[in-house]
Amino acid sequence: MNYRKLGKTNLKVSEISLGTWQVGGKWGSDFNFDNAEKIINSAIDNGINFIDTADVYSEGLSEKAIGKVIRSRSEEVFVATKCGRQLNPHINASYTTEVLRKFVEDSLQNLGLERIDLIQLHCPPTEVYSRPEIFGLFNDLTKEGKIRNYGVSVEKVEEALMAMEFEDVSTVQIIYNMFRQKPNELFFEEAKKKNVGIIARVPLASGLLTGKFNKTTTFDKDDHRFFNRNGEAFDKGETFSGIDYHLGLQAVEELKKVFNGNENLVHKALQWILSFNEISCVIPGTSSTEQLLSNLNTLKASPISKQEIEQTNAIYNRFIKSEVHNLW
């Protein structure tokens, strides 16, 4: 495992870390604690020391599973969680310092930890990023010893830039992958200037970039890849990175040609992200230990070449850019 500095936190985190949206099993299925604990233990066994979760992942069960495993291990493992998405309606007016404080305290209880290494606002409405009292709350929680660092998880580059105006924002979690390339323009430059760590989420575009899907692939009705393709439940950009599914399949077929059809596309997708030094870590999700180990094999695979990166970017420009680049 390789480790990179996570912005102002100064934590050294595994460049391939663990996202836990589906750690208890596949999307739409009941939470399986045994499955979650196997994945988390295997992650730590293989050098992962940074785990990202949220209070809404399986209604707090993801946090509970992570806390249980971490408390049973001797290794130092950093936990990042998120708050805010429980709010209903999820609008600017719902965000108050009182309710956010309660969310943080509930996460501490779920995790069974005395302090959270990184708390992140969980994709709030854009207006929240211009409210000093919200970020001031996290300063207070830091002084109280309840959190170690704080950051944001965003939908849009614009929101990341707004958040970084607050000097104590340590990290930004943002969708970044072969099919979502806008962040590597102004945002990467500004994050580097301000020593803000970048956590790349949705690195495989909801599985599109595994290369395993086709026109006949079906998704369970409780899977967001079935019910949220047009943003019916939450931001459209969270599902297939906002790309039309069939257009995405076309672009993936072109990517397979770049890698001669005999390379694991997952490895190349993760290597492409990690080729940017501004990235602190990437957090692919997984619903099985097999998927986890496949992700980790990226580190052993033949490295992506400069020519392959250029060809990948050309495919983005040809198929994807006009559809999504200016939306997020």
Side-chain angles (χ1 to χ4, degrees):
M1 180 61 70
N2 302 315
Y3 299 85
R4 301 186 182 192
K5 185 167 75 77
L6 184 61
K8 297 171 191 173
T9 71
N10 288 320
L11 302 177
K12 292 284 189 176
V13 299
S14 45
E15 62 181 14
I16 296 181
S17 291
L18 180 63
T20 60
W21 189 2
Q22 50 179 326
V23 75
K26 293 184 178 180
W27 274 307
S29 63
D30 291 336
F31 193 89
N32 185 317
F33 271 98
D34 288 340
N35 188 70
E37 289 172 23
K38 285 178 183 176
I39 291 171
I40 298 163
N41 275 303
S42 183
I44 298 170
D45 290 342
N46 284 278
I48 288 176
N49 73 342
F50 182 78
I51 300 175
D52 179 80
T53 186
D55 55 5
V56 291
Y57 292 174
S58 300
E59 299 178 337
L61 297 181
S62 174
E63 288 182 328
K64 289 181 179 180
I66 291 164
K68 180 181 177 183
V69 172
I70 288 176
R71 294 195 308 271
S72 73
R73 304 285 302 225
S74 60
E75 299 89 342
E76 184 175 35
V77 180
F78 306 119
V79 178
T81 191
K82 300 185 282 291
C83 62
R85 294 297 300 192
Q86 291 188 64
L87 294 169
N88 188 14
H90 188 244
I91 58 175
N92 179 40
S94 296
Y95 276 76
T96 67
T97 56
E98 292 79 12
V99 74
L100 289 174
R101 174 180 284 275
K102 177 67 164 55
F103 288 158
V104 172
E105 291 172 348
D106 288 347
S107 288
L108 281 167
Q109 186 171 356
N110 285 339
L111 290 162
L113 301 175
E114 293 183 0
R115 182 175 64 171
I116 296 169
D117 295 300
L118 176 66
I119 191 73
Q120 303 156 100
L121 282 172
H122 197 176
C123 299
T126 303
E127 301 94 323
V128 174
Y129 296 98
S130 60
R131 292 175 56 191
E133 75 275 16
I134 298 298
F135 294 89
L137 166 68
F138 293 128
N139 284 330
D140 292 343
L141 290 169
T142 303
K143 293 173 186 174
E144 294 168 21
K146 293 181 178 179
I147 63 174
R148 191 171 178 180
N149 305 279
Y150 67 86
V152 294
S153 180
V154 304
E155 299 289 4
K156 301 176 182 179
V157 166
E158 170 197 3
E159 295 165 343
L161 296 172
M162 291 173 69
M164 290 192 298
E165 290 299 308
F166 294 93
E167 64 178 0
D168 292 320
V169 167
S170 297
T171 63
V172 170
Q173 186 176 144
I174 195 166
I175 295 176
Y176 188 60
N177 58 52
M178 288 174 165
F179 288 171
R180 180 73 75 84
Q181 296 197 20
K182 184 178 180 180
N184 67 33
E185 298 174 349
L186 177 61
F187 165 61
F188 273 25
E189 180 183 333
E190 290 301 308
K192 186 174 183 178
K193 285 181 186 175
K194 297 185 176 184
N195 192 25
V196 170
I198 301 174
I199 302 166
R201 66 187 183 94
V202 196
L204 302 177
S206 306
L208 256 181
L209 289 170
T210 65
K212 296 177 181 178
F213 298 165
N214 56 49
K215 291 179 181 179
T216 63
T217 302
T218 59
F219 301 97
D220 186 86
K221 65 180 178 63
D222 293 323
D223 188 322
H224 74 103
R225 294 172 293 187
F226 174 82
F227 67 76
N228 193 58
R229 292 193 186 186
N230 296 303
E232 293 90 340
F234 42 83
D235 191 278
K236 177 183 175 182
E238 297 281 352
T239 302
F240 300 130
S241 293
I243 301 159
D244 175 80
Y245 179 65
H246 296 286
L247 177 63
L249 290 178
Q250 290 180 51
V252 166
E253 289 306 308
E254 295 301 311
L255 284 175
K256 289 179 179 178
K257 295 176 185 176
V258 170
F259 301 112
N260 300 317
N262 58 9
E263 292 276 7
N264 188 319
L265 201 54
V266 169
H267 298 161
K268 296 306 174 186
L270 297 180
Q271 287 176 349
W272 182 88
I273 296 170
L274 292 171
S275 71
F276 292 85
N277 293 328
E278 294 89 346
I279 295 291
S280 296
C281 66
V282 59
I283 51 170
T286 178
S287 59
S288 69
T289 53
E290 290 76 18
Q291 287 181 351
L292 171 71
L293 296 175
S294 174
N295 294 339
L296 290 172
N297 281 336
T298 298
L299 301 171
K300 302 175 184 176
S302 58
I304 192 169
S305 69
K306 182 178 179 181
Q307 181 182 16
E308 288 169 338
I309 291 173
E310 291 172 351
Q311 290 174 299
T312 295
N313 296 346
I315 290 169
Y316 172 78
N317 290 332
R318 177 183 169 194
F319 287 89
I320 307 297
K321 187 172 183 177
S322 64
E323 301 294 321
V324 304
H325 196 81
N326 293 322
L327 298 180
W328 291 282

